[in-house]
Amino acid sequence: MASTDKKVGYLPEGKRPDYTPVTAALGVEEALQFLEGRWKMTILFHLFGDRLMRFSDLERAIPAISQKMLIQQLRKLESDGIVRRIVHHQVPPKVEYGLTKWGEKLCPALDALLLWAEDQSAPSETNESDV
């Protein structure tokens, strides 16, 4: 008897496809396209931890970014489903930005990337012997 996931055409939770080097590279490339751009990672790190920030707070937190670029990057992150824009209907208008549940799932991956980068910059015996 065939398993149910083959009949209905979806993978059950916890079951991943078998990746080949080519499909893995394509999948990573596709994932990195969501994060390409100079400021997206910086914006994401400011929003991690269920933080909600107003536009002006993000501007102050990232002083090197222009207002136009911050708007563009937030809109792109929102259209990709990583960031959510919360509009509070009040006077004066209040808009906050936060990560979606899917966006929060990036945190462990980016933490691992950060640790990986720290490992390279720290002098150690394993780094020297790898050369």
Side-chain angles (χ1 to χ4, degrees):
M1 183 178 239
S3 64
T4 309
D5 59 292
K6 290 180 182 151
K7 291 178 188 176
V8 294
Y10 67 87
L11 293 174
E13 212 171 298
K15 187 173 181 182
R16 293 186 173 161
D18 294 327
Y19 287 108
T20 66
V22 172
T23 59
L26 289 173
V28 169
E29 186 177 338
E30 186 179 313
L32 289 176
Q33 285 178 353
F34 286 110
L35 304 174
E36 71 182 357
R38 181 174 177 193
W39 299 105
K40 286 183 183 176
M41 300 287 256
T42 306
I43 293 167
L44 291 175
F45 274 102
H46 282 288
L47 296 175
F48 279 139
D50 284 332
R51 290 185 63 193
L52 292 177
M53 294 184 78
R54 295 179 76 166
F55 183 84
S56 58
D57 295 334
L58 282 167
E59 268 187 313
R60 280 191 292 276
I62 314 168
I65 192 171
S66 70
Q67 191 176 61
K68 178 183 176 185
M69 183 57 65
L70 181 57
I71 290 168
Q72 287 176 349
Q73 297 296 286
L74 285 168
R75 283 184 182 160
K76 183 65 177 144
L77 286 166
E78 184 183 7
S79 71
D80 288 339
I82 298 170
V83 168
R84 69 184 193 274
R85 183 175 187 258
I86 304 159
V87 179
H88 300 278
H89 298 287
Q90 63 185 42
V91 177
K94 180 180 175 183
V95 178
E96 294 178 312
Y97 294 91
L99 295 177
T100 61
K101 289 183 184 205
W102 188 56
E104 281 290 341
K105 290 181 180 181
L106 273 170
C107 190
L110 294 181
D111 280 346
L113 187 62
L114 182 62
L115 292 174
W116 175 78
E118 283 177 8
D119 204 33
Q120 175 61 27
S121 63
S124 71
E125 293 177 18
T126 55
N127 287 346
E128 293 170 8
S129 65
D130 289 344
V131 178

